[in-house]
Amino acid sequence: MSIFEKLFHTNKENTSDKEDKNMKIAVICANGKAGKLIVKEALDRKLDVTAVVRGENKTEASQVITKDLFDLTAADLKGFDVVIDAFGAWTEDTLPLHSTSLKHLCDILSGTDTRLLVVGGAGSLYVNAEHTAQVMDGPDFPDVFKPLASNMGKALTELRQRKDVRWTYISPAGDFQAEGERTGNYLLGGEELTLNSRGESIISYADYAIAMVDEAVKGHHDQQRISVVRA
């Protein structure tokens, strides 16, 4: 896969009528900032979307499973073509949940045809061709984000061992902007940190949501980590 595979996006290009009618997607932790935008993007494309939330549904989805991630069972997720994991933990005591939550989802999806797409982190992207140095290893990487990057990186390492699950891990660019604009365009990269033609590593949550739904609809990156950056 070329690290600069440029994708231009419109609804017509991304999905077919058949895909719109048939694809069933569950978004876990849908009330989060990324989760809500992923739900909206999928609904805008007329996909069959179910929001999985712990409490009150704050998304645009009308179909809802109200359940904690760790209480989800294989029966809850049966029948979905794609499960999108938008889980995020930010405090020191909850950071290990990145690993345990992903393990739980893998365990209940083990051996099924359901794809698991994971909202990942950028800190584990490589910065050299030998894949021996990661973004989080750099001297300019903020100390405050190192525990988060380390725990997310650990979860990815563990995910790579799961040969029984059709997973795809999608890392955003280094500057992941919650309130950034939706441009509709992005560059698709691989395991290494990708810069756009302006030398930027940046993407908005809204454009990331486009990339996530694109992968759900027509992606083929089973058991791979991919990355995205604004075009």
Side-chain angles (χ1 to χ4, degrees):
M1 176 178 60
S2 169
I3 201 163
F4 284 105
E5 179 185 350
K6 193 165 187 177
L7 302 177
F8 294 93
H9 301 276
T10 68
N11 288 345
K12 288 183 180 178
E13 290 172 344
N14 288 333
T15 60
S16 70
D17 289 341
K18 182 178 180 181
E19 288 168 332
D20 285 351
K21 292 176 182 176
N22 292 340
M23 177 160 287
K24 295 185 65 175
I25 298 175
V27 181
I28 297 175
C29 300
N31 277 340
K33 290 182 178 179
K36 281 193 284 191
L37 286 172
I38 292 168
V39 168
K40 182 181 186 326
E41 181 68 30
L43 287 173
D44 285 348
R45 301 194 199 182
K46 305 186 188 311
L47 300 174
D48 185 337
V49 185
T50 297
V52 182
V53 296
R54 284 194 300 176
E56 178 188 357
N57 177 34
K58 299 177 182 179
T59 77
E60 296 182 12
S62 59
Q63 300 178 116
V64 182
I65 295 174
T66 305
K67 213 169 192 180
D68 186 275
L69 184 157
F70 289 95
D71 293 328
L72 290 170
T73 67
D76 290 322
L77 300 182
K78 185 178 181 180
F80 287 104
D81 298 293
V82 177
V83 171
I84 297 176
D85 173 21
F87 175 83
W90 316 105
T91 60
E92 183 177 357
D93 60 322
T94 60
L95 289 177
L97 295 178
H98 284 285
S99 283
T100 55
S101 64
L102 200 46
K103 180 182 184 302
H104 177 67
L105 292 178
C106 285
D107 286 347
I108 62 177
L109 292 175
S110 177
T112 71
D113 288 331
T114 302
R115 298 178 65 211
L116 174 63
L117 308 188
V118 182
V119 176
S124 59
L125 287 167
Y126 296 106
V127 293
N128 63 349
E130 296 77 21
H131 291 184
T132 57
Q134 297 174 304
V135 171
M136 66 177 125
D137 301 325
D140 297 329
F141 193 81
D143 288 340
V144 67
F145 293 127
K146 286 184 178 179
L148 173 62
S150 177
N151 278 272
M152 294 188 78
K154 177 176 179 289
L156 172 59
T157 297
E158 294 164 350
L159 182 64
R160 293 185 194 276
Q161 308 307 311
R162 301 297 299 243
K163 307 305 181 185
D164 56 330
V165 179
R166 297 183 61 196
W167 61 266
T168 304
Y169 188 97
I170 306 181
S171 288
D175 187 1
F176 196 19
Q177 298 187 337
E179 307 301 330
E181 68 172 323
R182 184 187 189 280
T183 69
N185 302 316
Y186 64 84
L187 300 170
L188 179 65
E191 291 273 9
E192 297 170 22
L193 182 71
T194 301
L195 305 181
N196 61 22
S197 60
R198 298 175 295 282
E200 301 169 328
S201 175
I202 183 173
I203 196 164
S204 67
Y205 277 43
D207 282 344
Y208 180 92
I210 297 173
M212 178 61 78
V213 178
D214 279 354
E215 180 63 25
V217 169
K218 62 179 182 178
H220 53 274
H221 299 98
D222 280 8
Q223 298 187 341
Q224 294 180 51
R225 189 257 291 272
I226 58 176
S227 56
V228 290
V229 63
R230 183 170 69 189

